[in-house]
């Protein structure tokens, strides 16, 4: 039984009218919920940016899609695009990558009788047993393969005035064949373009034609001056060097779009370069699978193709496809697709 006194009927009706909420427009509800969602996301971006140093709190791309990247390029803000590329951009040319389980180079080394697949690129093993490397070099030697759509897309970026530089892990020289020149390239793992005597007392240089003649005549290349082995200027395991350690000082701080294609981002120091761009610089991955590592340490920021972080950050886009298909799709969004008929022979 209630202790509250009963109200007269008229007063009770007036009281009910006061307590009855006014009907609200449904569209106001949805817009309010959307605004609340955006506010929460902005809060999370600011939290991760300020406390963990992960990315920029500012929204860089309108949307985290290939179309968002295309709109950003067309905005006129992209004058310093960097490309970081690996073996995946050359597979459609017929050159196998290294780590694919069945088709990669390392999975098909049995005929060379190696102690382990990577030995073919170990400097100490090469100096004692150069034959396997030069047999493989004959199969993969530059001049037998043609550049891919992806290679020509980078040339198109250069022709349009957007490419600052291409950082490549590849040693096939297809970037040069497509039309990129010395200043356009950092060949992080070296190149077949030049070769040197391995003797520290000699270091005689040899050109591409000299090395080609030796390899295809099945002679082990030896120095004309001292008879030591001559090795193409690719960086073997166990050697110091690699141009990724000597990247152009202003490239990454000035980069306004980083495009990463055809690489697993497993080999250091190359993989670590993705963290050298500014925290507001958009990064686009075009690859058959997500690549890289998730790290919460601000000095090891090899982020973030992880879906959770892609949701929080406002600059990373992962486009999962072949490199050629991704480049064609981006070119079409940019209105450049017809240009391929001009630059491709």
């Amino acid at each position: 039984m209630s202790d509250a006194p009963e109200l007269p009927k008229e007063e009770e009706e007036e009281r009910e009218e006061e307590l009855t909420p006014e009907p609200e427009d449904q569209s106001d509800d949805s817009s309010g919920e959307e605004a609340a969602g955006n506010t929460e996301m902005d809060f999370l971006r600011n939290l991760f940016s300020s406390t963990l140093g992960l990315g920029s709190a500012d929204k860089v791309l309108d949307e985290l899609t290939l179309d968002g990247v295309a709109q950003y390029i067309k905005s006129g803000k992209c004058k310093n695009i960097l490309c970081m590329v690996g073996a995946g951009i050359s597979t459609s040319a017929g050159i196998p990558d290294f780590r694919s389980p069945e088709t990669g180079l390392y999975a098909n080394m049995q005929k060379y009788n190696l102690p382990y697949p990577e030995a073919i690129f170990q400097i100490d093993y090469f100096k004692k047993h150069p034959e396997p490397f030069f047999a493989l070099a004959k199969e993969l030697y530059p001049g037998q393969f043609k550049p891919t759509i992806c290679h020509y897309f980078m040339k198109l970026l250069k022709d349009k005035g957007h490419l600052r530089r291409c950082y490549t892990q590849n040693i096939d020289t297809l970037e040069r064949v497509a039309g990129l020149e010395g200043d356009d390239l950092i060949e992080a793992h070296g190149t077949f373009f030049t070769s040197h005597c391995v003797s520290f007392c000699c270091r005689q240089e040899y050109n591409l034609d000299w090395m080609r003649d030796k390899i295809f005549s099945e002679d082990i290349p030896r120095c004309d001056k001292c008879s030591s082995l001559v090795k193409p200027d690719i960086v073997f395991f166990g050697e110091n060097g690699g141009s990724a350690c000597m990247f152009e000082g202003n490239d990454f701080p000035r980069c306004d779009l980083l495009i990463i294609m055809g690489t697993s981002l497993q080999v250091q120091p190359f993989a670590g370069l993705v963290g050298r761009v500014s925290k507001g610089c958009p990064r686009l991955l075009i690859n058959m699978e997500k690549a890289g590592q998730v790290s919460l340490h601000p000095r090891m920021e090899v982020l973030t193709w992880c879906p959770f972080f892609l949701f929080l950050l406002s600059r990373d886009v992962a486009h999962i496809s072949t490199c050629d298909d991704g480049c064609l799709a981006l070119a079409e969004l940019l209105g450049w697709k017809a240009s391929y008929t001009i630059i491709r022979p």
Side-chain angles (χ1 to χ4, degrees), residues 38-193:
N38 289 337
T39 301
E40 290 175 1
M41 187 54 56
D42 289 340
F43 169 76
L44 288 172
R45 287 195 182 102
N46 280 293
L47 175 65
F48 274 74
S49 177
S50 60
T51 61
L52 297 178
L54 298 180
S56 169
D58 299 325
K59 188 175 182 180
V60 182
L61 301 176
D62 290 336
E63 55 184 67
L64 298 179
T65 64
L66 204 63
D67 186 55
V69 173
Q71 295 304 317
Y72 178 63
I73 294 173
K74 289 195 289 186
S75 72
K77 297 177 182 178
C78 285
K79 300 297 182 184
N80 293 290
I81 295 177
L82 293 181
C83 293
M84 289 176 58
V85 300
I89 73 167
S90 295
T91 53
S92 63
I95 302 173
D97 64 12
F98 287 89
R99 291 179 173 80
S100 291
E102 296 181 4
T103 59
L105 280 177
Y106 289 155
N108 292 278
M109 292 289 188
Q110 299 89 344
K111 59 185 174 183
Y112 299 120
N113 297 316
L114 299 168
Y116 49 92
E118 293 85 352
I120 201 164
F121 296 113
Q122 289 277 0
I123 188 61
D124 290 338
Y125 186 85
F126 170 80
K127 289 179 177 179
K128 296 176 182 176
H129 308 285
E131 296 83 5
F133 170 78
F134 285 115
L136 178 64
K138 184 177 180 180
E139 293 183 33
L140 302 179
Y141 203 76
Q144 303 180 83
F145 304 95
K146 293 182 179 180
T148 66
I149 289 171
C150 186
H151 290 97
Y152 285 115
F153 178 76
M154 293 190 290
K155 174 62 162 57
L156 195 56
L157 285 175
K158 174 186 175 181
D159 292 345
K160 297 286 186 180
H162 294 288
L163 182 69
R164 181 173 182 86
R165 216 169 321 273
C166 169
Y167 283 68
T168 179
Q169 293 175 286
N170 299 336
I171 58 175
D172 53 38
T173 74
L174 290 183
E175 295 89 359
R176 293 176 182 265
V177 179
L180 298 187
E181 299 172 338
D183 290 342
D184 304 321
L185 285 170
I186 296 290
E187 291 163 317
H189 294 169
T191 178
F192 270 99
F193 200 68

Side-chain angles (χ1 to χ4, degrees), residues 155-341:
K155 174 62 162 57
L156 195 56
L157 285 175
K158 174 186 175 181
D159 292 345
K160 297 286 186 180
H162 294 288
L163 182 69
R164 181 173 182 86
R165 216 169 321 273
C166 169
Y167 283 68
T168 179
Q169 293 175 286
N170 299 336
I171 58 175
D172 53 38
T173 74
L174 290 183
E175 295 89 359
R176 293 176 182 265
V177 179
L180 298 187
E181 299 172 338
D183 290 342
D184 304 321
L185 285 170
I186 296 290
E187 291 163 317
H189 294 169
T191 178
F192 270 99
F193 200 68
T194 55
S195 301
H196 281 85
C197 174
V198 299
S199 171
F200 290 110
C201 300
C202 180
R203 300 299 295 161
Q204 176 72 24
E205 181 175 317
Y206 296 90
N207 62 27
L208 187 67
D209 292 335
W210 183 92
M211 180 58 74
R212 182 189 294 113
D213 290 343
K214 294 291 184 182
I215 288 177
F216 281 89
S217 65
E218 300 188 356
D219 290 335
I220 298 300
R222 294 195 174 274
C223 180
D224 295 335
K225 290 179 63 177
C226 72
S227 299
S228 297
L229 287 170
V230 176
K231 181 181 75 66
D233 291 341
I234 63 175
V235 180
F236 277 36
F237 296 115
E239 282 189 302
N240 293 325
S243 297
C245 304
M246 300 178 286
F247 60 92
E248 294 295 324
N250 291 325
D251 277 359
F252 286 86
R254 294 182 61 182
C255 176
D256 41 39
L257 174 63
L258 179 63
I259 302 178
I260 304 156
M261 298 184 283
T263 172
S264 61
L265 292 176
Q266 295 296 313
V267 178
Q268 297 290 354
F270 186 87
L273 295 179
V274 300
R276 293 188 178 271
V277 295
S278 68
K279 293 187 181 300
C281 175
R283 301 181 296 187
L284 167 64
L285 174 75
I286 301 176
N287 203 42
M288 289 294 289
E289 59 186 7
K290 292 177 182 178
Q293 305 166 6
V294 175
S295 170
L296 299 184
H297 194 292
R299 292 188 179 180
M300 297 177 61
E301 205 237 352
V302 189
L303 234 33
T304 52
W305 317 117
C306 168
F308 174 68
F309 285 106
L310 281 173
F311 185 56
L312 289 176
L313 300 179
S314 55
R315 64 163 175 165
D316 287 341
V317 177
H319 183 80
I320 305 303
S321 75
T322 67
C323 295
D324 287 349
D325 287 346
C327 287
L328 278 175
L330 182 54
E332 187 165 11
L333 290 168
L334 290 166
W336 295 354
K337 196 169 182 180
S339 299
Y340 276 118
T341 61

